[in-house]
Amino acid sequence: MAATATLDSAGVPSPGVDAEELAGHLLGVSRTRLGLTPLVESSWVDGYQALVAQRAQRIPLQHLIGSVQFGRARLTVGPGVFIPRPETESLVEWAVKAIAGVRNPVVVDLCAGSGAIAIAISAQRPDARVIAVERAPAALAFARRNVVAHVDAGGTRVELRGGDVLDERLLVDLDGLVDLVTANPPYVPDGTAVAPEVADHDPPEAVFGGPDGLALIKPQKQKRRTRPAGA
Ligand SMILES: C[S@@+](CC[C@H](N)C(=O)[O-])C[C@H]1O[C@@H](n2cnc3c(N)ncnc32)[C@H](O)[C@@H]1O
């Protein structure tokens, strides 16, 4: 197929799958049903070629489609938010096992991005209260949209908090109440070469974590609490 060859020569890692995903997106069918779809009109071909050309420029497939499947949830993504990766589903699996014996668990998801982890946990544990923390306003807007969509679709209890995970005041109200903390923080050392889709389209603050990648992961120095004069 010409589209696959175009994507392959542009260095796209999975050219055949992406060519089919784009075709399925334009036709409004899943990739696996393409073979059952009747022949298309020439205007469709123009639209398809335009999408393939954008993908050949290494614009992420998920940005062209506008969404990504994460576990059972379809999440809206686009410029300004990190695209959830399939491997992060194993963190969700681990988290759900970790709270298996806890009734009405309280879960905090740090660095929430699109809300993927928080929504996926909530979907599997509707009795959980999940608090998702994200600093970037653009990412938070996507998370809000995804949470609303999943509440409408059957109920999640995900609360979003805009803020910096290093701000020790942000979660004080939850002191002593939290059963589980999850996080997929930025962890790539600054300056590391990454694929064009990541370098040009994932927000840098979602990917890079300082010179050693550990800026958010290392224990932070506690601010010294000073006593008021005379105390
Ligand atoms: C690797 S992405 C993970 C997003 C999502 N949890 C996922 O797995 O798809 C990291 C996220 O952390 C956010 N972030 C980076 N530094 C932060 C900070 N200091 N406080 C809160 N969020 C932060 C970024 O904006 C980004 O959305």
Side-chain angles (χ1 to χ4, degrees), residues 164-185:
D164 187 333
V165 299
L166 300 181
D167 179 351
E168 58 190 32
R169 295 160 306 176
L170 193 66
L171 299 169
V172 277
D173 57 307
L174 299 175
D175 204 6
L177 298 178
V178 176
D179 297 292
L180 180 71
V181 177
T182 57
N184 179 20

Side-chain angles (χ1 to χ4, degrees), residues 82 84 88 111-113 116-117 134-136 139 163-165 184-186 205-206 216:
F82 182 82
T88 305
C111 299
I117 296 169
E134 171 58 50
R135 183 176 61 177
D164 187 333
V165 299
N184 179 20
E205 71 271 19
L216 284 191

